[in-house]
Amino acid sequence: MIRKIIQRVNEWLEDRLRSLVRPLSPDARVIVIVTMLIVFSGLSIYMTVSSIYNLGKDKGRELQIEQIETLKLQVEQQQRDSINNLNHYQYERSSE
């Protein structure tokens, strides 16, 4: 179904383009094709170069990184923490 619709649209476009180009002489056709090729190539190169140029521009101003603030713990949590209780244990090195 969709394939038939696409084929009909393709045939219609081809007939339309042929009817527009038919009155032109062969030399005029070549000139039109070369002109279109140059214009579209220039636009393509311009868009590619401008997008690469603007890729990272002005992103540094928009993204502002804030510094991480220190975490304020309650005193009770610090006393229960096992890391703070390491000083109470004495570890001895055994000689083997």
Side-chain angles (χ1 to χ4, degrees):
M1 177 73 179
I2 295 175
R3 202 176 269 183
K4 289 181 181 180
I5 293 172
I6 292 173
Q7 188 175 8
R8 287 180 190 165
V9 170
N10 189 15
E11 290 174 359
W12 180 81
L13 284 173
E14 186 177 345
D15 291 339
R16 183 77 177 137
L17 285 174
R18 286 186 187 272
S19 66
L20 289 173
V21 176
R22 190 171 292 131
L24 297 175
S25 68
D27 291 336
R29 291 180 196 167
V30 171
I31 291 172
V32 168
I33 291 172
V34 170
T35 304
M36 289 174 62
L37 178 72
I38 290 171
V39 169
F40 290 132
S41 298
L43 287 173
S44 174
I45 291 171
Y46 170 75
M47 290 178 66
T48 303
V49 170
S50 67
S51 65
I52 291 172
Y53 176 74
N54 292 326
L55 190 63
K57 198 173 185 181
D58 294 333
K59 290 291 181 184
R61 295 182 194 148
E62 293 175 9
L63 296 176
Q64 295 179 353
I65 300 174
E66 297 178 5
Q67 291 186 357
I68 299 175
E69 296 179 7
T70 58
L71 184 61
K72 298 175 183 172
L73 296 175
Q74 296 176 359
V75 177
E76 294 172 12
Q77 282 182 332
Q78 287 180 349
Q79 291 175 353
R80 280 189 247 148
D81 193 8
S82 63
I83 295 175
N84 292 334
N85 293 332
L86 281 178
N87 296 335
H88 299 295
Y89 300 106
Q90 294 181 356
Y91 295 103
E92 294 181 10
R93 235 177 153 178
S94 63
S95 60
E96 294 176 10

